[in-house]
Amino acid sequence: MASRLIRPRLSLSRLYLMAGNKNGRFLSTESNKVDEPFKVEEAETVNVPPPPEKLLVLGGNGFVGSHICREALNRGLNVASLSRSGGSSLLESWAKNVTWHKGNLLSSESWKEALDGVTSIISCIGGFGSNSYMYKINGTANINAIRAAAEKGVKRFVYISAADLGLANYLLKGYYEGKRAAETELLTKFPYGGVILRPGFIHGTRRVGSIKLPLGVIGSPLEMVLQHAKPLNQIPLVGPLFTPPVNVASVAKVAVRAATDPVFPPAIVDVYGIQQFSQQMSR
């Protein structure tokens, strides 16, 4: 009987390993033995710092907005501003460190690129005029910004609204209806990262062209007196008129903190809350 030649079988994985090595050395898949030790080098761990927070201030070239930009820069944030006029007319050195975008929030396609890389937004958009105009600028413009920010994945949104002033609410119907519509939208789209600040009269040095208006001459003494007269604020109809003014620096401090501190609770903060938070931060 003719003898049969029996050829050893090589597994497919072994063939691949042998083909990849000129000397035919391989790591057997059928045994735990290795004919030559392999050296495994640990990958170097590189600590990459997180990108800096980028804050977009809507209306950053205005009275309140410019103070917010400066406060944010002082905290080491990457700051950008969006407004209809674009660049700031301010000649102060800090303004050079802000990225100025030009766009109209009532035109959805003219400003969306300003949201790139933004982690938080503070809106100071508002204005006066006819009731229809006030509703658009205080309501519709901010609602457009809130919706676009939510779609873009912005983490936190702070809205500078306004305190109820009783009878003034009826005289400025479009203004307050617009503000409250924007507030409702913010609470809906940012239930965990939305903060509404409701200051009354905001005082400080306001620049109008080349003229500086020292609003603090009136506002500061009133703030000192009225902040201790809170019971007067509860008088029907006229009580809200006793709402104390607040310094623009205090509004800026609280707004930037609310926009960047994840521990800051989502809430509606009235003027007394703004004063309290500001005082805590100054200690």
Side-chain angles (χ1 to χ4, degrees), residues 30 59 79 134-135 140 192 196 254:
E30 300 171 0
V79 182
M134 288 190 291
Y135 187 89
T140 306
Y192 304 108
I196 298 166
V254 178

Side-chain angles (χ1 to χ4, degrees), residues 20-266:
N21 192 312
K22 294 181 180 179
N23 298 322
R25 298 189 179 101
F26 59 88
L27 173 64
S28 173
T29 59
E30 300 171 0
S31 171
N32 293 328
K33 296 181 179 180
V34 180
D35 70 337
E36 186 174 283
F38 281 79
K39 295 181 179 180
V40 179
E41 296 182 359
E42 292 187 4
E44 182 181 357
T45 301
V46 179
N47 293 322
V48 179
E53 299 246 356
K54 183 177 181 181
L55 171 68
L56 177 64
V57 182
L58 305 180
N61 58 354
F63 173 48
V64 177
S66 61
H67 282 79
I68 288 175
C69 287
R70 183 166 57 183
E71 174 69 20
L73 288 172
N74 289 338
R75 295 197 184 192
L77 299 177
N78 184 357
V79 182
S81 168
L82 173 71
S83 63
R84 287 180 296 179
S85 59
S88 172
S89 59
L90 297 173
L91 301 177
E92 300 178 35
S93 59
W94 62 263
K96 298 178 182 178
N97 298 319
V98 177
T99 302
W100 301 97
H101 296 283
K102 183 177 182 179
N104 186 347
L105 292 175
L106 295 174
S107 176
S108 60
E109 300 303 321
S110 68
W111 57 276
K112 293 293 182 67
E113 63 179 19
L115 291 174
D116 292 342
V118 170
T119 54
S120 55
I121 293 176
I122 300 175
S123 177
C124 311
I125 299 297
F128 297 94
S130 65
N131 277 324
S132 60
Y133 174 80
M134 288 190 291
Y135 187 89
K136 281 184 180 180
I137 199 68
N138 294 284
T140 306
N142 283 296
I143 290 172
N144 290 344
I146 292 165
R147 290 175 178 174
E151 292 175 2
K152 197 72 174 180
V154 174
K155 297 177 182 178
R156 300 183 68 82
F157 198 114
V158 178
Y159 176 45
I160 310 298
S161 188
D164 286 320
L165 294 180
L167 294 174
N169 292 25
Y170 298 97
L171 299 176
L172 300 170
K173 185 177 180 180
Y175 179 86
Y176 280 97
E177 287 184 351
K179 291 283 189 185
R180 300 300 173 251
E183 289 182 1
T184 300
E185 188 68 22
L186 180 60
L187 295 175
T188 301
K189 291 292 191 294
F190 287 87
Y192 304 108
V195 178
I196 298 166
L197 303 186
R198 286 184 176 178
F201 172 63
I202 301 176
H203 67 85
T205 301
R206 184 165 192 163
R207 185 186 295 272
V208 180
S210 59
I211 302 174
K212 292 183 178 181
L213 301 178
L215 302 179
V217 173
I218 299 175
S220 184
L222 283 175
E223 180 177 6
M224 292 294 292
V225 173
L226 293 178
Q227 68 178 336
H228 300 294
K230 191 173 181 179
L232 295 176
N233 193 253
Q234 306 303 317
I235 300 175
L237 296 179
V238 298
L241 297 177
F242 293 99
T243 299
V246 62
N247 191 290
V248 66
S250 298
V251 176
K253 285 181 180 180
V254 178
V256 173
R257 179 184 171 187
T260 57
D261 185 355
V263 179
F264 198 102

